[in-house]
Amino acid sequence: MPTFAYQSINSNASTNHGVSASNSQHFTRMTHNHQAANQDRWHLIMPTADGLDPHVPIHGPAQLVAQAPLGYMAKGQHNNAQFLSMIEGKARQTHQHLYRSLGQTCDLLVYGEMDGANSEWSSMQQHAGGLVGSSSTGKACNSFSVHAANTTQHQILGSGMGWIAIRSGNVNAVFVHVPNSIAKKESESVIFYRNINNLLIQQGYGAIDLVMGDTNQGNDSFTPCALSVATGTLFRDAHTEDEVNPFDSYQRSFTGTNSTASKKYDVAAYNTKTIRVIKVDYISQSTPVSVNGSDMAAAVTDHMGIFIDVAK
């Protein structure tokens, strides 16, 4: 029963894939300010230990904090080293929240819009897991970075504009950041997924079992429907609730996973013929920060992350 996590960060279209391409981007700032508009304590911070492998569960109570003030993530407020430290902390939080949500450690953690081969992101291997591999079609926002506790248990099957496919155990998982130019066009999205599915089959790996990531879809049923048409097999959204309740939030729900919580762009869609979903969950865009000596939360990206435990 492999467990997967996917998290997009918010990067720009720079051909420089370093941290500056992701530091306090427009939609990240929008996300933070949207969450900070409500100053109730809502974000749960799990205990972590930087000296230990990030997959090791750290036992202890969660801390409930409020969002840092409006403007905290404004451009120029944090240098690249400070922003990188926030992303590193977010990675460790991801592992701890996933363990508590799914009851197992994370087998594979994939980042969208991050090029793990860039030296400026090399420290992520200590906080997210060893680097299985990375891919990019030229721009920072088109990159992927794949991390795992045991890098030998996963194989990258292929990649292209907006996707990377990985075989983990016997599961063919495709992680996506669907290009905006096709994301809401049914016929072009069908071609996008059909080409990936055909490539995996032609290479002898079999059909897509799972798709996770930032789909930029036009409505909640768009991606499962496009995948069903593309593969000739019924796909479903693993998350069936009307509201999104991230595991790291307390008594605060959202109507979407994007910067304004208005659109469900981030999904996990599964092949009903090959996959059984054990559990699916979300994690918010925020991470722990210190503001004038007080523990608070700040958004470091614009899209929620996804956890899933599946059996094939």
Side-chain angles (χ1 to χ4, degrees), residues 6 22 32-33 55 58 64 124 131 173-174 226 228 297:
Y6 179 88
S22 310
H32 176 82
N33 290 337
H55 301 78
I58 308 298
L64 183 63
M124 288 298 289
L131 185 65
V174 177
S228 298

Side-chain angles (χ1 to χ4, degrees), residues 41-223:
R41 293 193 299 168
W42 73 281
H43 185 75
L44 295 168
I45 298 175
M46 294 300 178
T48 59
D50 286 351
L52 294 180
D53 185 285
H55 301 78
V56 175
I58 308 298
H59 298 282
Q63 181 184 7
L64 183 63
V65 303
Q67 199 80 355
L70 287 162
Y72 180 79
M73 293 304 295
K75 203 72 173 174
Q77 287 290 101
H78 311 284
N79 62 37
N80 289 344
Q82 291 168 330
F83 184 77
L84 174 60
S85 180
M86 294 181 202
I87 297 288
E88 292 169 347
K90 176 68 168 172
R92 286 192 173 269
Q93 287 292 308
T94 296
H95 282 290
Q96 297 303 317
H97 281 293
L98 182 145
Y99 178 79
R100 286 163 174 79
S101 172
L102 303 184
Q104 299 185 66
T105 56
C106 179
D107 289 312
L108 195 73
L109 170 55
V110 178
Y111 285 94
E113 306 193 45
M114 177 190 293
D115 184 354
N118 186 284
S119 60
E120 292 188 21
W121 292 112
S122 62
S123 63
M124 288 298 289
Q125 296 188 54
Q126 284 73 57
H127 301 278
L131 185 65
V132 177
S134 65
S135 72
S136 178
T137 54
K139 299 177 181 179
C141 57
N142 295 332
S143 302
F144 293 91
S145 187
V146 183
H147 298 263
N150 187 335
T151 59
T152 63
Q153 293 181 347
H154 314 278
Q155 178 186 1
I156 295 178
L157 306 182
S159 64
M161 175 62 79
W163 66 277
I164 185 168
I166 298 132
R167 187 170 180 84
S168 181
N170 64 345
V171 175
N172 296 330
V174 177
F175 300 89
V176 299
H177 177 201
V178 181
N180 286 322
S181 60
I182 68 170
K184 295 175 177 62
K185 300 175 182 177
E186 182 178 359
S187 60
E188 294 187 32
S189 293
V190 166
I191 293 171
F192 174 78
Y193 290 117
R194 180 176 290 151
N195 287 342
I196 299 170
N197 193 61
N198 288 345
L199 178 64
L200 298 188
I201 291 173
Q202 290 166 5
Q203 292 180 342
Y205 299 115
I208 297 172
D209 295 311
L210 178 68
V211 170
M212 292 178 69
D214 173 6
T215 66
N216 291 302
Q217 61 184 0
N219 58 67
D220 291 358
S221 63
F222 184 93
T223 299

